[in-house]
Amino acid sequence: MKRAYSIDVVGAMGGRRRGGTSGERGISEAANPQPKLNWDTVDWSPTSKISWSPEVVDTQPKPEARRAKAVRAVIRFVRDYAATGLMTASVLAINYVVAFHTDSVPRSYANLLFRSSGFDSLYPGQSPNAFRVAAHNLAENGGTSYGIPSGMPSKQFVQDFPHGSKLARAFSDTIHHDSVACAVFHPHTVHCTVGGVAAFLRGLPFAMKMYVPFNTAVQLLFKRTQALRDPLGLIVKILQSSARSSAFFVLMTTCVTQAPCLLRALLGRDTRAGYILGGILGGLAVLIEMPSRRVELGMYCFLRGLQMLWDVGLKQGRWRNVRHGELVLLSLSLGVLMPIFQNDPTTFSLTYRSILTRVFGKN
């Protein structure tokens, strides 16, 4: 609420009547229209009939305006961060399955996680499946939070477990870790932070090898004209896009694998909160990517997480497969997509719109 003042001038103008300036504010004229006030001609004497009347002006927005503003703010927030939230939830689901239901992780994704996390260079000569079996048996028999006795080298402790000898080859003979998980994730150092940075740097070359050919194929397939007109600019664009995507992917896998280790070092024990933190940080890594790609990545990871959770439920007997259920899902999905494509094709990104146009033609 603000208090404003208006001047009611009655017979206060003397001398010649000259037009006033346009900068006068808060002036209300008398009932009969008068020329605009010129302050030089106003009689300011005590006998002047100038009255000052305070007026209360309501500057607060109305409830309807406040509600509309709040709705717009919510819509803007959902539009900007829905993809990030979807990605975070998806990575949380994937991390839960990887950490607590290793046998439900498809072999192809286990291999991808193994290489993108840099474990292939950390444990040379070990296949992804061998590392997976060894780590799983180590967790089952010793527990990832199992403490290593003080003064005992980590290598000596780990190799006594079933299949632990396959991992112990990469360990130093003298380094001691506080827990088995820290020893497995960074066998060459006792510092979890240093191990996380090293894991990120180890994973970058693999990610670049994966993204550069992929982005090159996409650009040549959908932007051949630009490749002929400006090949150097296209090469720079491919490298920039590949570097951005590689940084996102490696940061995501690093957070998933190393965040539990960092929290374990802080708390001195293994907790589920560490894996939740890893999933959240891994999902937030999508903010590195272009906003146009975040929804695609979120949907892809959401499907992978949903599939893994479904497999976990099947093995636990919570539900069972429905025969030809995939065909029903495909039919429902196309039933939603095709009307949108026919009536408002600009809703799709340029890449998907081009693919659908090649397959189904223009409306």
Side-chain angles (χ1 to χ4, degrees):
M1 305 290 286
K2 292 185 178 180
R3 185 179 296 274
Y5 291 89
S6 64
I7 300 177
D8 185 16
V9 180
V10 181
M13 296 184 61
R16 293 178 301 168
R17 293 183 176 180
R18 292 178 293 178
T21 61
S22 60
E24 297 162 351
R25 299 178 181 271
I27 303 293
S28 65
E29 296 183 350
N32 297 323
Q34 298 289 339
K36 292 185 179 293
L37 286 175
N38 187 327
W39 295 104
D40 296 332
T41 65
V42 176
D43 182 8
W44 297 98
S45 63
T47 60
S48 175
K49 297 180 180 180
I50 299 179
S51 63
W52 296 79
S53 58
E55 295 180 356
V56 178
V57 181
D58 187 5
T59 59
Q60 297 295 328
K62 296 182 179 180
E64 296 80 3
R66 289 197 297 268
R67 285 195 293 268
K69 185 178 180 180
V71 170
R72 288 195 298 270
V74 171
I75 293 175
R76 192 181 306 112
F77 179 83
V78 172
R79 181 192 62 197
D80 295 341
Y81 296 102
T84 305
L86 179 64
M87 186 70 179
T88 302
S90 304
V91 177
L92 271 171
I94 294 174
N95 196 27
Y96 165 76
V97 177
V98 171
F100 302 105
H101 300 278
T102 311
D103 54 340
S104 296
V105 180
R107 179 170 296 184
S108 58
Y109 297 113
N111 295 348
L112 180 63
L113 182 63
F114 178 81
R115 291 190 171 91
S116 62
S117 301
F119 287 130
D120 56 339
S121 59
L122 191 61
Y123 296 98
Q126 293 292 327
S127 66
N129 191 54
F131 174 81
R132 174 184 175 184
V133 172
H136 179 70
N137 280 284
L138 185 63
E140 288 293 325
N141 290 276
T144 54
S145 61
Y146 197 89
I148 299 178
S150 178
M152 177 181 291
S154 302
K155 181 176 183 178
Q156 178 183 347
F157 183 82
V158 170
Q159 66 184 2
D160 292 337
F161 286 97
H163 301 278
S165 58
K166 297 180 180 180
L167 304 180
R169 300 169 189 170
F171 284 64
S172 171
D173 293 331
T174 58
I175 291 182
H176 166 79
H177 298 83
D178 292 331
S179 69
V180 174
C182 289
V184 172
F185 285 128
H186 46 86
H188 300 308
T189 178
V190 296
H191 302 289
C192 298
T193 305
V194 176
V197 174
F200 179 82
L201 296 177
R202 286 195 308 267
L204 277 178
F206 169 78
M208 287 295 292
K209 292 178 182 178
M210 179 177 63
Y211 275 108
V212 169
F214 173 77
N215 288 329
T216 301
V218 170
Q219 295 293 332
L220 293 178
L221 181 62
F222 295 102
K223 297 184 178 180
R224 294 188 298 271
T225 305
Q226 182 181 350
L228 296 175
R229 186 175 61 251
D230 185 15
L232 182 59
L234 186 64
I235 292 174
V236 172
K237 184 177 181 180
I238 290 173
L239 292 177
Q240 289 177 341
S241 178
S242 301
R244 183 192 296 268
S245 298
S246 299
F248 146 70
F249 185 71
V250 178
L251 182 61
M252 179 184 67
T253 56
T254 301
C255 290
V256 166
T257 56
Q258 303 296 326
C261 191
L262 291 173
L263 197 60
R264 188 183 303 111
L266 292 175
L267 300 179
R269 57 189 176 86
D270 196 18
T271 62
R272 289 181 178 267
Y275 300 95
I276 296 175
L277 177 64
I280 293 175
L281 294 179
L284 293 178
V286 77
L287 293 173
I288 297 177
E289 272 287 5
M290 296 291 291
S292 58
R293 278 183 46 81
R294 293 173 190 171
V295 175
E296 301 173 8
L297 293 169
M299 290 300 300
Y300 177 81
C301 291
F302 175 74
L303 293 177
R304 302 285 75 78
L306 192 63
Q307 180 65 47
M308 291 182 186
L309 290 176
W310 180 266
D311 293 339
V312 170
L314 285 177
K315 293 183 178 181
Q316 294 179 346
R318 296 184 178 182
W319 45 70
R320 60 186 181 85
N321 271 328
V322 178
R323 189 177 182 183
H324 304 307
E326 296 86 351
L327 296 178
V328 175
L329 288 177
L330 178 62
S331 300
L332 293 175
S333 302
L334 289 177
V336 173
L337 291 177
M338 291 309 298
I340 299 175
F341 173 69
Q342 290 296 322
N343 295 286
D344 192 8
T346 56
T347 304
F348 295 88
S349 63
L350 180 61
T351 302
Y352 291 110
R353 190 163 68 246
S354 300
I355 295 174
L356 291 174
T357 302
R358 290 174 184 270
V359 175
F360 300 105
K362 293 185 178 180
N363 187 357

